[in-house]
């Protein structure tokens, strides 16, 4: 399952969100011009991705967060955009960042990966 699913012009603002659920596929999924600001939050053991951003116009800003043991920490595809700042990724599964197609964009600032 997906914990938070933004579909069509949705806006999320998360602070101190904690998702620790081994049955969770994706913690936050955004598509069709949906947006999220995510700060001081932590995500653990997601089967697909902690934050997944799909479609041109969709974007997530992730700051001061921790991602631990997720298969993909961040996924941007079909033009989605993810901005990652001051965030720590621990024990990544398949990859830390997966970006794919149509101008998808990921920026990474002052963040670390611990394996």
């Amino acid at each position: 399952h997906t914990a938070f699913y933004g579909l069509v012009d949705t806006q999320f603002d998360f602070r101190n969100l904690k998702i620790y659920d081994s049955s969770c596929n994706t913690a936050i999924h955004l598509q069709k011009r949906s947006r999220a600001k995510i700060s001081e939050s932590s995500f653990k053991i997601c089967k697909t991705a902690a934050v997944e951003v799909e479609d041109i116009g969709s974007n997530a800003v992730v700051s001061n967060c921790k991602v631990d043991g997720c298969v993909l920490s961040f996924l941007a595809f079909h033009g989605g955009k993810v901005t990652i700042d001051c965030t720590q990724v621990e024990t990544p599964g398949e990859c830390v960042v997966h970006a794919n197609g149509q101008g998808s964009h990921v920026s990474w600032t002052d963040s670390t990966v611990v394996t």
Side-chain angles (χ1 to χ4, degrees), residues 26-89:
T26 301
I28 300 169
H29 178 94
L30 306 170
Q31 70 183 87
K32 297 180 181 168
R33 300 169 313 277
S34 293
R35 300 165 309 282
K37 291 179 187 173
I38 307 155
S39 64
E40 300 169 42
S41 296
S42 54
F43 307 96
K44 192 170 184 176
I45 330 174
C46 296
K47 291 179 186 174
T48 303
V51 178
E52 187 173 273
V53 183
E54 178 180 5
D55 300 324
I56 293 165
S58 296
N59 69 76
V61 176
V62 181
S63 60
N64 297 298
C65 291
K66 183 176 177 182
V67 179
D68 185 3
C70 296
V71 174
L72 307 174
S73 301
F74 303 99
L75 172 59
F77 63 110
H78 297 160
K81 181 177 180 180
V82 183
T83 301
I84 304 157
D85 183 44
C86 297
T87 289
Q88 182 169 313
V89 175

